[in-house]
Amino acid sequence: MGAYRYVSELWRKKQSDVMRFLLRVRSWQYRQLNVLHRAPKSTRPDRARRLGYKAKQGYVIFRIRVRRGGRKRPVPKGQTMGKPTNQGVNQLKNQRTHQAIAEERVGRKCGALRVLNSYWVAQDSTFKFYEVICVDPFHKAIRRNPDTQWITKPVMKHREMRGLTSANKKSRGLGKGRRYSKTNGGSRWASWHRRNVQKFHRKR
């Protein structure tokens, strides 16, 4: 086994004495830092490389913390001003994962960079910590490499805002097979629209 394989095996055993101690110390350390800060290097190099990271110019990693828990509806005094079916305020859950929210917040702060992917690094009772891999689309090392040219195109601006990153896609219900029949054709709306709109061959 290569070195990265050993590292990934360590991360798989999160309940081992070594990892429990490491994660507890790291959570404390990350809590002392800013909400969003640049990481000098990846905490999980094996995971980062599997998600497209390379230790070369043009790649940068940001670490961010997100508060855990559900999503409270942001209404004044808990008044939704609507029908009883929509009066819930407290026990609501977010449609997207904490990881997707973390990517979006990094993308907002680092507007000139492209969000490639992200992965979990630590969590405690209050926060979850993620590392987000970003790419500089104007760096020559990225633009001249055929493998990474795709992310420099204008259509890839703010992928994280439009549900195109891996973490975002998980909450969109996309996939193949009978379990994903509700999103055939790209999205839940597209599938519904195709089945519910009448089409004619000629104008009547």
Side-chain angles (χ1 to χ4, degrees), residues 7-69:
V7 174
S8 60
E9 284 295 319
L10 265 176
W11 275 93
R12 284 180 66 187
K13 308 283 194 299
K14 293 183 180 64
Q15 286 291 318
S16 65
D17 290 349
V18 174
M19 288 305 294
R20 284 175 68 180
F21 175 74
L22 261 179
L23 290 172
R24 195 168 80 238
V25 171
R26 278 185 183 148
S27 295
W28 175 86
Q29 183 196 1
Y30 297 158
R31 278 202 306 272
Q32 316 310 314
L33 303 170
N34 291 338
V35 173
L36 171 66
H37 57 274
R38 182 174 174 178
K41 60 183 179 180
S42 172
T43 309
R44 301 177 63 180
D46 61 313
R47 186 87 179 105
R49 282 177 61 81
R50 268 182 290 163
L51 296 175
Y53 174 74
K54 293 277 193 295
K56 59 189 263 188
Q57 291 181 327
Y59 287 87
V60 60
I61 288 181
F62 285 92
R63 196 180 294 122
I64 183 168
R65 73 170 182 253
V66 180
R67 192 169 284 273
R68 294 177 65 178

Side-chain angles (χ1 to χ4, degrees), residues 149-160:
Q149 280 175 349
W150 62 272
I151 205 165
T152 64
K153 292 176 179 165
V155 75
M156 288 298 162
K157 289 178 182 176
H158 290 293
R159 306 168 64 236
E160 71 288 344

Side-chain angles (χ1 to χ4, degrees), residues 36 64-67 101-109:
L36 171 66
I64 183 168
R65 73 170 182 253
V66 180
R67 192 169 284 273
I101 293 165
E103 287 179 352
E104 182 180 336
R105 288 178 184 174
V106 172
R108 283 182 194 279
K109 282 286 184 184

Side-chain angles (χ1 to χ4, degrees), residues 115-152:
V115 172
L116 178 63
N117 226 318
S118 64
Y119 51 92
W120 177 94
V121 284
Q123 71 184 45
D124 57 18
S125 61
T126 313
F127 300 108
K128 283 192 177 188
F129 301 93
Y130 295 97
E131 285 184 358
V132 182
I133 305 166
C134 296
V135 179
D136 182 2
F138 292 100
H139 199 286
K140 291 288 185 276
I142 304 297
R143 295 185 82 83
R144 289 172 180 167
N145 185 357
D147 294 333
T148 53
Q149 280 175 349
W150 62 272
I151 205 165
T152 64

Side-chain angles (χ1 to χ4, degrees), residues 66-130:
V66 180
R67 192 169 284 273
R68 294 177 65 178
R71 179 183 182 274
K72 187 173 180 180
R73 198 190 295 274
V75 288
K77 298 182 184 175
Q79 298 165 335
T80 55
M81 308 293 186
K83 300 286 173 64
T85 187
N86 296 321
Q87 274 176 351
V89 173
N90 277 328
Q91 295 186 354
L92 306 176
K93 315 299 184 273
N94 212 323
Q95 294 296 308
R96 298 160 65 213
T97 60
H98 289 116
Q99 187 171 349
I101 293 165
E103 287 179 352
E104 182 180 336
R105 288 178 184 174
V106 172
R108 283 182 194 279
K109 282 286 184 184
C110 312
L113 303 177
R114 304 278 159 84
V115 172
L116 178 63
N117 226 318
S118 64
Y119 51 92
W120 177 94
V121 284
Q123 71 184 45
D124 57 18
S125 61
T126 313
F127 300 108
K128 283 192 177 188
F129 301 93
Y130 295 97

